[in-house]
Amino acid sequence: MARAGFINIGFGSIVSVNKIVAVISPDSAPVKRIVQTARDGDHLIDATYGRRTRSVAICDSDHVILSAVQPETLLRRLEGREAAEVATDTIDEPAEDAEREHGTNPDEE
């Protein structure tokens, strides 16, 4: 299922989930180099509002986004969105189409 919409990355900042490639912890040296390279190349978006950086989102446009929200929290938010979309899809499905698709239409017997 294709992801759609936006995710809150903290303090009212939102990002299109279609653009996020990875969300990682900022602690390792390679991630710190990625952040520095993005800063030097004007591809860094700091959405921490002065707080401690807890996650780094890598986007498909080579932008790097710093967030004060834990990667696990962002994952739960993303999973919650996908679960809500699945529930909405099944609710919005017309009953006749569902019966025809699953072969459970009692009128056809």
Side-chain angles (χ1 to χ4, degrees), residues 63-97:
H63 284 85
V64 176
I65 304 171
L66 305 181
S67 173
V69 178
Q70 292 285 349
E72 295 82 10
T73 303
L74 294 177
L75 176 63
R76 279 195 305 274
R77 290 177 184 177
L78 191 60
E79 286 175 339
R81 169 176 292 283
E82 289 178 356
E85 288 174 1
V86 169
T88 303
D89 288 346
T90 56
I91 291 170
D92 290 344
E93 186 176 83
E96 296 164 2
D97 291 344

PDB file of all heavy atoms in Angstrom, residues 63-97:
ATOM      1  N   HIS A  63      17.419  15.961   1.140  1.00  0.00           N
ATOM      2  CA  HIS A  63      17.284  16.805   2.322  1.00  0.00           C
ATOM      3  C   HIS A  63      17.396  15.932   3.563  1.00  0.00           C
ATOM      4  O   HIS A  63      17.023  14.756   3.548  1.00  0.00           O
ATOM      5  CB  HIS A  63      15.939  17.536   2.329  1.00  0.00           C
ATOM      6  CG  HIS A  63      15.894  18.674   1.381  1.00  0.00           C
ATOM      7  ND1 HIS A  63      15.568  18.526   0.042  1.00  0.00           N
ATOM      8  CD2 HIS A  63      16.149  19.988   1.560  1.00  0.00           C
ATOM      9  CE1 HIS A  63      15.622  19.696  -0.542  1.00  0.00           C
ATOM     10  NE2 HIS A  63      15.972  20.611   0.355  1.00  0.00           N
ATOM     11  N   VAL A  64      17.930  16.507   4.609  1.00  0.00           N
ATOM     12  CA  VAL A  64      18.076  15.837   5.894  1.00  0.00           C
ATOM     13  C   VAL A  64      17.317  16.677   6.913  1.00  0.00           C
ATOM     14  O   VAL A  64      17.536  17.884   7.008  1.00  0.00           O
ATOM     15  CB  VAL A  64      19.571  15.703   6.282  1.00  0.00           C
ATOM     16  CG1 VAL A  64      19.714  15.095   7.655  1.00  0.00           C
ATOM     17  CG2 VAL A  64      20.315  14.876   5.248  1.00  0.00           C
ATOM     18  N   ILE A  65      16.405  16.020   7.649  1.00  0.00           N
ATOM     19  CA  ILE A  65      15.558  16.735   8.600  1.00  0.00           C
ATOM     20  C   ILE A  65      15.896  16.275  10.010  1.00  0.00           C
ATOM     21  O   ILE A  65      15.868  15.075  10.296  1.00  0.00           O
ATOM     22  CB  ILE A  65      14.070  16.487   8.310  1.00  0.00           C
ATOM     23  CG1 ILE A  65      13.745  16.888   6.865  1.00  0.00           C
ATOM     24  CG2 ILE A  65      13.198  17.247   9.297  1.00  0.00           C
ATOM     25  CD1 ILE A  65      12.365  16.476   6.414  1.00  0.00           C
ATOM     26  N   LEU A  66      16.202  17.235  10.883  1.00  0.00           N
ATOM     27  CA  LEU A  66      16.463  16.935  12.286  1.00  0.00           C
ATOM     28  C   LEU A  66      15.172  17.096  13.069  1.00  0.00           C
ATOM     29  O   LEU A  66      14.441  18.073  12.885  1.00  0.00           O
ATOM     30  CB  LEU A  66      17.518  17.887  12.843  1.00  0.00           C
ATOM     31  CG  LEU A  66      18.850  17.968  12.097  1.00  0.00           C
ATOM     32  CD1 LEU A  66      19.772  18.952  12.814  1.00  0.00           C
ATOM     33  CD2 LEU A  66      19.484  16.608  11.961  1.00  0.00           C
ATOM     34  N   SER A  67      14.898  16.138  13.957  1.00  0.00           N
ATOM     35  CA  SER A  67      13.682  16.182  14.765  1.00  0.00           C
ATOM     36  C   SER A  67      14.024  15.899  16.216  1.00  0.00           C
ATOM     37  O   SER A  67      14.959  15.147  16.517  1.00  0.00           O
ATOM     38  CB  SER A  67      12.680  15.147  14.257  1.00  0.00           C
ATOM     39  OG  SER A  67      11.569  15.071  15.116  1.00  0.00           O
ATOM     40  N   ALA A  68      13.235  16.475  17.115  1.00  0.00           N
ATOM     41  CA  ALA A  68      13.413  16.226  18.544  1.00  0.00           C
ATOM     42  C   ALA A  68      12.562  15.056  19.018  1.00  0.00           C
ATOM     43  O   ALA A  68      12.476  14.790  20.212  1.00  0.00           O
ATOM     44  CB  ALA A  68      13.045  17.488  19.330  1.00  0.00           C
ATOM     45  N   VAL A  69      11.952  14.330  18.096  1.00  0.00           N
ATOM     46  CA  VAL A  69      11.106  13.176  18.416  1.00  0.00           C
ATOM     47  C   VAL A  69      11.899  11.899  18.156  1.00  0.00           C
ATOM     48  O   VAL A  69      12.627  11.796  17.163  1.00  0.00           O
ATOM     49  CB  VAL A  69       9.821  13.210  17.552  1.00  0.00           C
ATOM     50  CG1 VAL A  69       8.952  12.007  17.813  1.00  0.00           C
ATOM     51  CG2 VAL A  69       9.051  14.496  17.809  1.00  0.00           C
ATOM     52  N   GLN A  70      11.745  10.917  19.037  1.00  0.00           N
ATOM     53  CA  GLN A  70      12.443   9.636  18.894  1.00  0.00           C
ATOM     54  C   GLN A  70      12.032   8.928  17.601  1.00  0.00           C
ATOM     55  O   GLN A  70      10.869   9.018  17.188  1.00  0.00           O
ATOM     56  CB  GLN A  70      12.106   8.717  20.070  1.00  0.00           C
ATOM     57  CG  GLN A  70      12.646   9.176  21.387  1.00  0.00           C
ATOM     58  CD  GLN A  70      14.134   8.952  21.522  1.00  0.00           C
ATOM     59  OE1 GLN A  70      14.764   8.277  20.725  1.00  0.00           O
ATOM     60  NE2 GLN A  70      14.705   9.534  22.551  1.00  0.00           N
ATOM     61  N   PRO A  71      12.956   8.192  16.957  1.00  0.00           N
ATOM     62  CA  PRO A  71      12.605   7.446  15.742  1.00  0.00           C
ATOM     63  C   PRO A  71      11.454   6.459  15.977  1.00  0.00           C
ATOM     64  O   PRO A  71      10.594   6.288  15.123  1.00  0.00           O
ATOM     65  CB  PRO A  71      13.890   6.700  15.386  1.00  0.00           C
ATOM     66  CG  PRO A  71      14.986   7.443  16.051  1.00  0.00           C
ATOM     67  CD  PRO A  71      14.388   8.072  17.275  1.00  0.00           C
ATOM     68  N   GLU A  72      11.416   5.831  17.145  1.00  0.00           N
ATOM     69  CA  GLU A  72      10.362   4.873  17.454  1.00  0.00           C
ATOM     70  C   GLU A  72       8.990   5.554  17.498  1.00  0.00           C
ATOM     71  O   GLU A  72       7.986   4.989  17.072  1.00  0.00           O
ATOM     72  CB  GLU A  72      10.632   4.172  18.788  1.00  0.00           C
ATOM     73  CG  GLU A  72      11.868   3.291  18.787  1.00  0.00           C
ATOM     74  CD  GLU A  72      13.166   4.073  19.013  1.00  0.00           C
ATOM     75  OE1 GLU A  72      13.116   5.278  19.359  1.00  0.00           O
ATOM     76  OE2 GLU A  72      14.237   3.487  18.819  1.00  0.00           O
ATOM     77  N   THR A  73       8.960   6.781  18.007  1.00  0.00           N
ATOM     78  CA  THR A  73       7.711   7.538  18.062  1.00  0.00           C
ATOM     79  C   THR A  73       7.237   7.871  16.658  1.00  0.00           C
ATOM     80  O   THR A  73       6.052   7.741  16.345  1.00  0.00           O
ATOM     81  CB  THR A  73       7.897   8.827  18.879  1.00  0.00           C
ATOM     82  OG1 THR A  73       8.367   8.486  20.180  1.00  0.00           O
ATOM     83  CG2 THR A  73       6.610   9.607  18.986  1.00  0.00           C
ATOM     84  N   LEU A  74       8.153   8.280  15.801  1.00  0.00           N
ATOM     85  CA  LEU A  74       7.788   8.573  14.417  1.00  0.00           C
ATOM     86  C   LEU A  74       7.280   7.314  13.721  1.00  0.00           C
ATOM     87  O   LEU A  74       6.310   7.374  12.956  1.00  0.00           O
ATOM     88  CB  LEU A  74       8.973   9.163  13.663  1.00  0.00           C
ATOM     89  CG  LEU A  74       9.450  10.532  14.140  1.00  0.00           C
ATOM     90  CD1 LEU A  74      10.679  10.975  13.347  1.00  0.00           C
ATOM     91  CD2 LEU A  74       8.346  11.562  14.023  1.00  0.00           C
ATOM     92  N   LEU A  75       7.900   6.177  13.999  1.00  0.00           N
ATOM     93  CA  LEU A  75       7.447   4.916  13.421  1.00  0.00           C
ATOM     94  C   LEU A  75       6.029   4.586  13.873  1.00  0.00           C
ATOM     95  O   LEU A  75       5.186   4.217  13.062  1.00  0.00           O
ATOM     96  CB  LEU A  75       8.398   3.784  13.794  1.00  0.00           C
ATOM     97  CG  LEU A  75       7.978   2.396  13.325  1.00  0.00           C
ATOM     98  CD1 LEU A  75       7.940   2.344  11.810  1.00  0.00           C
ATOM     99  CD2 LEU A  75       8.911   1.350  13.882  1.00  0.00           C
ATOM    100  N   ARG A  76       5.752   4.756  15.173  1.00  0.00           N
ATOM    101  CA  ARG A  76       4.392   4.491  15.673  1.00  0.00           C
ATOM    102  C   ARG A  76       3.380   5.413  15.024  1.00  0.00           C
ATOM    103  O   ARG A  76       2.276   4.994  14.678  1.00  0.00           O
ATOM    104  CB  ARG A  76       4.348   4.640  17.194  1.00  0.00           C
ATOM    105  CG  ARG A  76       4.839   3.423  17.937  1.00  0.00           C
ATOM    106  CD  ARG A  76       4.447   3.463  19.400  1.00  0.00           C
ATOM    107  NE  ARG A  76       4.875   4.667  20.091  1.00  0.00           N
ATOM    108  CZ  ARG A  76       6.068   4.842  20.653  1.00  0.00           C
ATOM    109  NH1 ARG A  76       6.953   3.885  20.610  1.00  0.00           N
ATOM    110  NH2 ARG A  76       6.362   5.979  21.270  1.00  0.00           N
ATOM    111  N   ARG A  77       3.749   6.665  14.839  1.00  0.00           N
ATOM    112  CA  ARG A  77       2.844   7.605  14.182  1.00  0.00           C
ATOM    113  C   ARG A  77       2.580   7.178  12.742  1.00  0.00           C
ATOM    114  O   ARG A  77       1.461   7.239  12.254  1.00  0.00           O
ATOM    115  CB  ARG A  77       3.422   9.022  14.206  1.00  0.00           C
ATOM    116  CG  ARG A  77       3.423   9.629  15.581  1.00  0.00           C
ATOM    117  CD  ARG A  77       4.056  10.995  15.589  1.00  0.00           C
ATOM    118  NE  ARG A  77       4.125  11.507  16.952  1.00  0.00           N
ATOM    119  CZ  ARG A  77       4.677  12.652  17.284  1.00  0.00           C
ATOM    120  NH1 ARG A  77       5.227  13.425  16.353  1.00  0.00           N
ATOM    121  NH2 ARG A  77       4.710  13.038  18.548  1.00  0.00           N
ATOM    122  N   LEU A  78       3.623   6.739  12.078  1.00  0.00           N
ATOM    123  CA  LEU A  78       3.476   6.285  10.700  1.00  0.00           C
ATOM    124  C   LEU A  78       2.645   5.009  10.634  1.00  0.00           C
ATOM    125  O   LEU A  78       1.763   4.880   9.789  1.00  0.00           O
ATOM    126  CB  LEU A  78       4.853   6.065  10.084  1.00  0.00           C
ATOM    127  CG  LEU A  78       4.910   5.833   8.592  1.00  0.00           C
ATOM    128  CD1 LEU A  78       4.337   7.029   7.856  1.00  0.00           C
ATOM    129  CD2 LEU A  78       6.330   5.593   8.157  1.00  0.00           C
ATOM    130  N   GLU A  79       2.904   4.059  11.529  1.00  0.00           N
ATOM    131  CA  GLU A  79       2.135   2.817  11.551  1.00  0.00           C
ATOM    132  C   GLU A  79       0.678   3.083  11.897  1.00  0.00           C
ATOM    133  O   GLU A  79      -0.221   2.451  11.351  1.00  0.00           O
ATOM    134  CB  GLU A  79       2.732   1.830  12.546  1.00  0.00           C
ATOM    135  CG  GLU A  79       4.014   1.205  12.062  1.00  0.00           C
ATOM    136  CD  GLU A  79       4.663   0.312  13.102  1.00  0.00           C
ATOM    137  OE1 GLU A  79       4.354   0.474  14.301  1.00  0.00           O
ATOM    138  OE2 GLU A  79       5.470  -0.526  12.707  1.00  0.00           O
ATOM    139  N   GLY A  80       0.432   4.012  12.805  1.00  0.00           N
ATOM    140  CA  GLY A  80      -0.941   4.363  13.164  1.00  0.00           C
ATOM    141  C   GLY A  80      -1.686   4.928  11.976  1.00  0.00           C
ATOM    142  O   GLY A  80      -2.853   4.638  11.750  1.00  0.00           O
ATOM    143  N   ARG A  81      -1.003   5.724  11.157  1.00  0.00           N
ATOM    144  CA  ARG A  81      -1.610   6.303   9.960  1.00  0.00           C
ATOM    145  C   ARG A  81      -1.966   5.189   8.989  1.00  0.00           C
ATOM    146  O   ARG A  81      -3.051   5.157   8.431  1.00  0.00           O
ATOM    147  CB  ARG A  81      -0.655   7.282   9.296  1.00  0.00           C
ATOM    148  CG  ARG A  81      -1.110   7.732   7.916  1.00  0.00           C
ATOM    149  CD  ARG A  81      -0.198   8.774   7.339  1.00  0.00           C
ATOM    150  NE  ARG A  81      -0.278  10.012   8.063  1.00  0.00           N
ATOM    151  CZ  ARG A  81      -1.271  10.879   7.953  1.00  0.00           C
ATOM    152  NH1 ARG A  81      -2.269  10.612   7.165  1.00  0.00           N
ATOM    153  NH2 ARG A  81      -1.263  11.997   8.624  1.00  0.00           N
ATOM    154  N   GLU A  82      -1.050   4.220   8.784  1.00  0.00           N
ATOM    155  CA  GLU A  82      -1.314   3.143   7.841  1.00  0.00           C
ATOM    156  C   GLU A  82      -2.446   2.248   8.340  1.00  0.00           C
ATOM    157  O   GLU A  82      -3.280   1.818   7.569  1.00  0.00           O
ATOM    158  CB  GLU A  82      -0.042   2.345   7.586  1.00  0.00           C
ATOM    159  CG  GLU A  82       0.961   3.141   6.772  1.00  0.00           C
ATOM    160  CD  GLU A  82       2.246   2.406   6.531  1.00  0.00           C
ATOM    161  OE1 GLU A  82       2.412   1.292   7.046  1.00  0.00           O
ATOM    162  OE2 GLU A  82       3.098   2.951   5.816  1.00  0.00           O
ATOM    163  N   ALA A  83      -2.492   1.994   9.648  1.00  0.00           N
ATOM    164  CA  ALA A  83      -3.573   1.187  10.202  1.00  0.00           C
ATOM    165  C   ALA A  83      -4.905   1.909  10.026  1.00  0.00           C
ATOM    166  O   ALA A  83      -5.918   1.290   9.687  1.00  0.00           O
ATOM    167  CB  ALA A  83      -3.320   0.893  11.670  1.00  0.00           C
ATOM    168  N   ALA A  84      -4.914   3.221  10.214  1.00  0.00           N
ATOM    169  CA  ALA A  84      -6.139   3.995  10.028  1.00  0.00           C
ATOM    170  C   ALA A  84      -6.568   3.980   8.568  1.00  0.00           C
ATOM    171  O   ALA A  84      -7.753   3.887   8.266  1.00  0.00           O
ATOM    172  CB  ALA A  84      -5.932   5.428  10.510  1.00  0.00           C
ATOM    173  N   GLU A  85      -5.599   4.037   7.643  1.00  0.00           N
ATOM    174  CA  GLU A  85      -5.934   4.000   6.220  1.00  0.00           C
ATOM    175  C   GLU A  85      -6.531   2.655   5.837  1.00  0.00           C
ATOM    176  O   GLU A  85      -7.485   2.580   5.079  1.00  0.00           O
ATOM    177  CB  GLU A  85      -4.692   4.290   5.378  1.00  0.00           C
ATOM    178  CG  GLU A  85      -4.256   5.736   5.433  1.00  0.00           C
ATOM    179  CD  GLU A  85      -2.942   5.972   4.724  1.00  0.00           C
ATOM    180  OE1 GLU A  85      -2.376   5.015   4.170  1.00  0.00           O
ATOM    181  OE2 GLU A  85      -2.489   7.122   4.730  1.00  0.00           O
ATOM    182  N   VAL A  86      -5.997   1.555   6.369  1.00  0.00           N
ATOM    183  CA  VAL A  86      -6.531   0.225   6.085  1.00  0.00           C
ATOM    184  C   VAL A  86      -7.948   0.124   6.619  1.00  0.00           C
ATOM    185  O   VAL A  86      -8.856  -0.357   5.938  1.00  0.00           O
ATOM    186  CB  VAL A  86      -5.626  -0.873   6.696  1.00  0.00           C
ATOM    187  CG1 VAL A  86      -6.311  -2.223   6.628  1.00  0.00           C
ATOM    188  CG2 VAL A  86      -4.301  -0.905   5.974  1.00  0.00           C
ATOM    189  N   ALA A  87      -8.185   0.607   7.826  1.00  0.00           N
ATOM    190  CA  ALA A  87      -9.525   0.567   8.407  1.00  0.00           C
ATOM    191  C   ALA A  87     -10.480   1.413   7.585  1.00  0.00           C
ATOM    192  O   ALA A  87     -11.614   1.016   7.342  1.00  0.00           O
ATOM    193  CB  ALA A  87      -9.485   1.057   9.851  1.00  0.00           C
ATOM    194  N   THR A  88     -10.049   2.560   7.122  1.00  0.00           N
ATOM    195  CA  THR A  88     -10.896   3.421   6.304  1.00  0.00           C
ATOM    196  C   THR A  88     -11.214   2.753   4.979  1.00  0.00           C
ATOM    197  O   THR A  88     -12.336   2.815   4.498  1.00  0.00           O
ATOM    198  CB  THR A  88     -10.198   4.781   6.051  1.00  0.00           C
ATOM    199  OG1 THR A  88      -9.906   5.377   7.306  1.00  0.00           O
ATOM    200  CG2 THR A  88     -11.065   5.701   5.238  1.00  0.00           C
ATOM    201  N   ASP A  89     -10.228   2.079   4.386  1.00  0.00           N
ATOM    202  CA  ASP A  89     -10.466   1.403   3.118  1.00  0.00           C
ATOM    203  C   ASP A  89     -11.550   0.337   3.250  1.00  0.00           C
ATOM    204  O   ASP A  89     -12.404   0.207   2.386  1.00  0.00           O
ATOM    205  CB  ASP A  89      -9.174   0.746   2.603  1.00  0.00           C
ATOM    206  CG  ASP A  89      -8.172   1.777   2.104  1.00  0.00           C
ATOM    207  OD1 ASP A  89      -8.570   2.935   1.903  1.00  0.00           O
ATOM    208  OD2 ASP A  89      -7.002   1.412   1.937  1.00  0.00           O
ATOM    209  N   THR A  90     -11.526  -0.422   4.326  1.00  0.00           N
ATOM    210  CA  THR A  90     -12.518  -1.477   4.476  1.00  0.00           C
ATOM    211  C   THR A  90     -13.885  -0.912   4.821  1.00  0.00           C
ATOM    212  O   THR A  90     -14.894  -1.468   4.418  1.00  0.00           O
ATOM    213  CB  THR A  90     -12.104  -2.497   5.551  1.00  0.00           C
ATOM    214  OG1 THR A  90     -11.876  -1.804   6.770  1.00  0.00           O
ATOM    215  CG2 THR A  90     -10.864  -3.247   5.144  1.00  0.00           C
ATOM    216  N   ILE A  91     -13.944   0.198   5.511  1.00  0.00           N
ATOM    217  CA  ILE A  91     -15.226   0.822   5.840  1.00  0.00           C
ATOM    218  C   ILE A  91     -15.839   1.458   4.606  1.00  0.00           C
ATOM    219  O   ILE A  91     -17.037   1.354   4.371  1.00  0.00           O
ATOM    220  CB  ILE A  91     -15.054   1.874   6.960  1.00  0.00           C
ATOM    221  CG1 ILE A  91     -14.708   1.170   8.261  1.00  0.00           C
ATOM    222  CG2 ILE A  91     -16.308   2.715   7.131  1.00  0.00           C
ATOM    223  CD1 ILE A  91     -14.282   2.103   9.368  1.00  0.00           C
ATOM    224  N   ASP A  92     -15.022   2.084   3.771  1.00  0.00           N
ATOM    225  CA  ASP A  92     -15.524   2.791   2.598  1.00  0.00           C
ATOM    226  C   ASP A  92     -15.931   1.853   1.472  1.00  0.00           C
ATOM    227  O   ASP A  92     -16.563   2.268   0.520  1.00  0.00           O
ATOM    228  CB  ASP A  92     -14.478   3.774   2.073  1.00  0.00           C
ATOM    229  CG  ASP A  92     -14.282   4.960   3.009  1.00  0.00           C
ATOM    230  OD1 ASP A  92     -15.147   5.185   3.880  1.00  0.00           O
ATOM    231  OD2 ASP A  92     -13.277   5.643   2.845  1.00  0.00           O
ATOM    232  N   GLU A  93     -15.539   0.592   1.558  1.00  0.00           N
ATOM    233  CA  GLU A  93     -15.847  -0.353   0.501  1.00  0.00           C
ATOM    234  C   GLU A  93     -17.348  -0.639   0.483  1.00  0.00           C
ATOM    235  O   GLU A  93     -17.917  -1.048   1.491  1.00  0.00           O
ATOM    236  CB  GLU A  93     -15.062  -1.647   0.767  1.00  0.00           C
ATOM    237  CG  GLU A  93     -15.185  -2.654  -0.336  1.00  0.00           C
ATOM    238  CD  GLU A  93     -14.315  -3.854  -0.043  1.00  0.00           C
ATOM    239  OE1 GLU A  93     -14.768  -4.731   0.712  1.00  0.00           O
ATOM    240  OE2 GLU A  93     -13.196  -3.893  -0.549  1.00  0.00           O
ATOM    241  N   PRO A  94     -18.038  -0.423  -0.643  1.00  0.00           N
ATOM    242  CA  PRO A  94     -19.471  -0.699  -0.686  1.00  0.00           C
ATOM    243  C   PRO A  94     -19.761  -2.170  -0.411  1.00  0.00           C
ATOM    244  O   PRO A  94     -19.023  -3.050  -0.837  1.00  0.00           O
ATOM    245  CB  PRO A  94     -19.852  -0.323  -2.120  1.00  0.00           C
ATOM    246  CG  PRO A  94     -18.767   0.557  -2.614  1.00  0.00           C
ATOM    247  CD  PRO A  94     -17.535   0.156  -1.872  1.00  0.00           C
ATOM    248  N   ALA A  95     -20.845  -2.431   0.279  1.00  0.00           N
ATOM    249  CA  ALA A  95     -21.199  -3.794   0.685  1.00  0.00           C
ATOM    250  C   ALA A  95     -21.382  -4.696  -0.524  1.00  0.00           C
ATOM    251  O   ALA A  95     -20.967  -5.850  -0.511  1.00  0.00           O
ATOM    252  CB  ALA A  95     -22.457  -3.770   1.544  1.00  0.00           C
ATOM    253  N   GLU A  96     -21.995  -4.196  -1.588  1.00  0.00           N
ATOM    254  CA  GLU A  96     -22.233  -5.016  -2.767  1.00  0.00           C
ATOM    255  C   GLU A  96     -20.928  -5.449  -3.413  1.00  0.00           C
ATOM    256  O   GLU A  96     -20.775  -6.592  -3.820  1.00  0.00           O
ATOM    257  CB  GLU A  96     -23.082  -4.243  -3.770  1.00  0.00           C
ATOM    258  CG  GLU A  96     -24.467  -3.930  -3.246  1.00  0.00           C
ATOM    259  CD  GLU A  96     -25.150  -2.854  -4.068  1.00  0.00           C
ATOM    260  OE1 GLU A  96     -24.545  -2.382  -5.062  1.00  0.00           O
ATOM    261  OE2 GLU A  96     -26.270  -2.492  -3.720  1.00  0.00           O
ATOM    262  N   ASP A  97     -19.956  -4.511  -3.499  1.00  0.00           N
ATOM    263  CA  ASP A  97     -18.663  -4.848  -4.074  1.00  0.00           C
ATOM    264  C   ASP A  97     -17.943  -5.876  -3.218  1.00  0.00           C
ATOM    265  O   ASP A  97     -17.310  -6.785  -3.731  1.00  0.00           O
ATOM    266  CB  ASP A  97     -17.794  -3.602  -4.226  1.00  0.00           C
ATOM    267  CG  ASP A  97     -18.312  -2.657  -5.304  1.00  0.00           C
ATOM    268  OD1 ASP A  97     -19.136  -3.102  -6.124  1.00  0.00           O
ATOM    269  OD2 ASP A  97     -17.899  -1.485  -5.306  1.00  0.00           O
TER     270      ASP A  97
END
